[in-house]
Amino acid sequence: MTEHVATQRQFLDTELRPALDAAAAGTAHVLFVDAAHFVYGTYLCCLWSVLRVFVRAASGRQRFNVLGAWDAVTRRLLSVTNTTVVNTDTMCQLLRAIAAEGWVGPVTVVLDNARYQRNKVVQGLAAELSIRLLFLPSYSPNLNLIERLWGFAKRRSVYGKYHPDFASFRAAIEDTLAGIPSTHAEALESLMTLEFQTFEDVSLLAA
């Protein structure tokens, strides 16, 4: 635990924070990448009732996958979606979408160590497109900003909600994501800040 705290702190101080400072200054770009897998099914919240209540629920195992890249400064989402699987090809699609933005200055993509993200094909394409891949330390979802966005999207789109079919389920998620720069901008402003909780913070709370 102590070793992991030190690793996270070093990564935040020497790798992530300098990249974010450059992005905030307008001389670079930082995007946080991760995939969300929305499985068509039942997402219950807390339910308290004196009487028995029957809650309508969806059935099936269809999934709507979103591989996203969150711009840490502009709070804009670039994404590739499908209903099959997220793999190396999907990641390459996203890298090409990022490169197509034509940004001036270094582009850093922060991501975890999933195999489809950390392989020779992806790393080769990133080098070809002049995109820096910055891999997070193991077990560090708390340092991946886009994880907060996926939690927000699930709360808005699927938790405690009934969707009669997969099409309406997918539409609800797409509607939430489309509302990021407008409907949800105010809520996301306070959620998607560039402050990160580390294991060190947690251990202090527990002391």
Side-chain angles (χ1 to χ4, degrees), residues 40 50 54 71 103 138-140 148-149 152 157 176 196:
Y40 179 55
V50 175
F54 292 93
D71 190 313
W103 285 315
S138 300
Y139 308 109
S140 299
R148 304 178 203 171
L149 180 67
F152 175 86
S157 308
T176 295
F196 299 89

Side-chain angles (χ1 to χ4, degrees), residues 2 10 49 65 94 102 121 128 145 177 183 207:
T2 303
Q10 182 178 22
S49 177
N65 303 309
L94 184 63
V121 173
E128 180 185 325
L145 192 58
L177 298 180
T183 309

Side-chain angles (χ1 to χ4, degrees), residues 40-45 47 52-60 157-165 168-169:
Y40 179 55
T42 304
Y43 294 80
L44 286 179
C45 298
L47 177 65
R52 180 180 297 176
V53 175
F54 292 93
V55 180
R56 290 183 299 175
S59 62
S157 308
V158 298
Y159 286 175
K161 294 179 173 60
Y162 171 69
H163 301 288
D165 51 44
S168 61
F169 173 79

